[in-house]
Amino acid sequence: QVQLVESGGDLVQPGGSLRLSCEASGLVFTDYVMKWYRQAPGTERELVARISNTILIKQYSESVKGRFKISRDDAKETVYLQMNSLRPEDTAVYYCNAGRAWTQSIDDYWGQGTRVTVSA
């Protein structure tokens, strides 16, 4: 049974930092592209960052580029999202995703989400 368990969400002030973690189990972690999505109230889920499983290509949405950093530790089967210079518009539920393809697929696995709130 595949499980993706996110952690690290919290309430933080604007300009602050958080690190999200997503620990995977039940799959061959090195076979999967790992992605972080987020969904704010009343909006569609959007891709924030993704990291490939071979030569570690990373890609970020324009809204987080230069502020967020995605990384993975294959030995720990964990993907991270370091979020710096947080803004109120970063407030959302953040979801971890594991997929065999670079793009989203119906066969992808999802975590339950972790909530990030950026507010003074």
Side-chain angles (χ1 to χ4, degrees):
Q1 179 182 356
V2 175
Q3 282 192 310
L4 301 176
V5 180
E6 301 101 331
S7 61
D10 205 345
L11 170 64
V12 63
Q13 292 188 343
S17 297
L18 282 176
R19 189 176 83 154
L20 305 183
S21 300
C22 170
E23 185 172 357
S25 60
L27 51 72
V28 180
F29 190 72
T30 51
D31 285 350
Y32 288 83
V33 176
M34 299 302 296
K35 310 176 189 76
W36 285 99
Y37 288 78
R38 68 185 181 186
Q39 187 168 21
T43 69
E44 292 188 355
R45 192 173 297 188
E46 65 166 333
L47 177 64
V48 174
R50 52 188 169 182
I51 182 169
S52 68
N53 57 319
T54 51
I55 56 175
L56 299 184
I57 297 171
K58 302 175 185 181
Q59 189 176 58
Y60 301 91
S61 68
E62 286 299 319
S63 61
V64 307
K65 195 174 292 184
R67 300 188 297 121
F68 290 12
K69 180 180 179 182
I70 189 171
S71 62
R72 61 189 293 161
D73 185 332
D74 289 346
K76 295 182 179 180
E77 298 186 320
T78 300
V79 62
Y80 303 97
L81 186 67
Q82 177 66 45
M83 305 188 295
N84 299 323
S85 302
L86 283 161
R87 304 168 180 169
E89 54 264 39
D90 295 318
T91 295
V93 177
Y94 285 71
Y95 296 92
C96 178
N97 170 293
R100 291 183 179 273
W102 186 240
T103 53
Q104 186 178 328
S105 166
I106 194 171
D107 296 322
D108 288 358
Y109 298 104
W110 292 88
Q112 82 289 348
T114 186
R115 185 174 301 276
V116 172
T117 303
V118 185
S119 175

